[in-house]
Amino acid sequence: LSDIERLTKSGTLILTCNYMFEGKNCIDYGKNDAYCLLNAVPTAEGAAAVAMDNMKITLAGCSAAVIGFGRVGKLCRLLSAMGAHVTAVSRSERDLAGSEACGYIPADHSALPGIAGEQDVIFNTVPHTVVTEEVLAAMKKDAPLIDLASRPGGVDTMAASRLGIRVISALSLPGKVAPVTAGKIIAKCLDKRLREAVL
């Protein structure tokens, strides 16, 4: 990336995902709401697939917690449709109300240590260390913890290792589980950005 930044001619339009080149004519489509919302669909499907690959029980009938009720947090809908009992964990009063309105079990982030031990699988979407040693210590030893958050993630991985909790880092799921769909989403968003840049 440093070479691209150094060698790119002044005025060249650079399209990136979640990265900005300082002082360059740069469009970060990764911050685009439409891109993020569309990308949340293959991310949710991929997250469910990762869970199924790492559990000895079905998602149907299991207890699943999703930390963060943002775009990727809409994974709750898919899990619920598959028959899971979903707890939506958030700090936002608005998101807690929204999750309750959707039929999920709302839980404030402060309650996470108390509910972690009830979950058969936990998904984290928050890119800050929210899954602390206290939370990890309360978890079932056979419950996978699937971290969907961007690096550095949201899990105290050193504590997880000490406590024997499986942490599965599941980044870039759209390109891994549905590359054609992921490509179409990028193309659609880039086409709009390029047209806006030219006009």
Side-chain angles (χ1 to χ4, degrees):
L1 291 176
S2 61
D3 286 341
I4 292 171
E5 189 166 17
R6 180 172 51 84
L7 297 170
T8 304
K9 293 178 183 176
S10 177
T12 301
L13 178 62
I14 305 174
L15 297 136
T16 70
C17 185
N18 298 316
Y19 187 86
M20 288 296 287
F21 291 100
E22 294 296 327
K24 297 287 184 178
N25 185 13
C26 191
I27 295 174
D28 181 1
Y29 66 87
K31 299 288 191 292
N32 177 266
D33 283 338
Y35 169 79
C36 293
L37 286 168
L38 291 170
N39 219 36
V41 174
T43 299
E45 290 187 10
V50 171
M52 289 187 287
D53 284 344
N54 288 278
M55 294 171 66
K56 294 179 180 178
I57 60 173
T58 59
L59 284 173
C62 85
S63 294
V66 178
I67 304 170
F69 196 62
R71 297 182 187 103
V72 178
K74 300 307 186 280
L75 162 66
C76 293
R77 183 174 65 178
L78 178 61
L79 295 172
S80 182
M82 295 177 78
H85 304 290
V86 180
T87 298
V89 182
S90 178
R91 282 193 168 104
S92 161
E93 186 177 354
R94 177 187 175 191
D95 286 346
L96 290 170
S99 63
E100 185 174 5
C102 290
Y104 316 130
I105 303 163
D108 188 84
H109 181 267
S110 61
L112 191 52
I115 64 168
E118 303 166 4
Q119 309 306 316
D120 298 307
V121 59
I122 296 177
F123 301 85
N124 175 60
T125 71
V126 179
H128 308 289
T129 306
V130 290
V131 185
T132 60
E133 184 165 0
E134 183 184 11
V135 176
L136 292 161
M139 286 181 60
K140 296 177 181 178
K141 296 300 181 186
D142 61 345
L145 172 55
I146 301 169
D147 197 0
L148 303 168
S150 304
R151 287 189 175 92
V155 179
D156 183 340
T157 53
M158 292 182 68
S161 179
R162 283 197 311 273
L163 294 165
I165 299 295
R166 283 184 299 157
V167 180
I168 302 155
S169 179
L171 298 175
S172 306
L173 285 177
K176 292 174 183 175
V177 301
V180 172
T181 300
K184 286 180 177 179
I185 292 169
I186 292 171
K188 181 177 181 178
C189 293
L190 287 187
D191 180 66
K192 189 171 190 304
R193 301 282 81 71
L194 285 168
R195 289 176 190 276
E196 289 171 350
V198 170
L199 296 176

